[in-house]
Amino acid sequence: MFVGEREIARMDAIVAAVERVVALPAYVEHAMRYAPEAARHVPRAAGVFLGYDFHLGAQGPQLIEVNTNAGGGLLNAVLARASRPAANRWRP
């Protein structure tokens, strides 16, 4: 899929806004009131499988999900491992 520069700039602006908000001390304090103890750990990396999912439409990009889990990465690793034998059979 090709995405225009205007849409990319809009997605960048949306991501920057989300990241500014979640860094606000008041936001962190409010979110931590409801978070389990495990969520209070502050890792060195911001995220390994962090992704912002957008749908593109007539009104521009719409943020539909902030994906913070490794499920997709794990699934892709399994699928890649499973596809190697099939790919090797088709080598000339």
Side-chain angles (χ1 to χ4, degrees), residues 27-62:
Y27 176 87
V28 173
E29 181 184 329
H30 181 77
M32 287 300 118
R33 283 188 211 145
Y34 304 97
E37 187 61 35
R40 298 176 196 287
H41 169 73
V42 180
R44 285 187 239 163
V48 176
F49 287 99
L50 178 64
Y52 295 87
D53 296 340
F54 288 89
H55 280 181
L56 299 177
Q59 296 177 353
Q62 303 290 311

Side-chain angles (χ1 to χ4, degrees), residues 4-25:
E5 288 183 29
R6 185 171 31 175
E7 287 81 10
I8 290 173
R10 182 71 182 130
M11 288 186 279
D12 277 344
I14 293 168
V15 169
V18 169
E19 290 183 354
R20 279 193 307 273
V21 169
V22 301
L24 293 171

Side-chain angles (χ1 to χ4, degrees), residues 61-88:
Q62 303 290 311
L63 179 63
I64 61 158
E65 176 183 21
V66 178
N67 190 341
T68 60
N69 65 52
L74 295 173
L75 179 59
N76 280 318
V78 170
L79 291 172
R81 214 171 304 130
S83 66
R84 277 190 210 124
N88 288 338

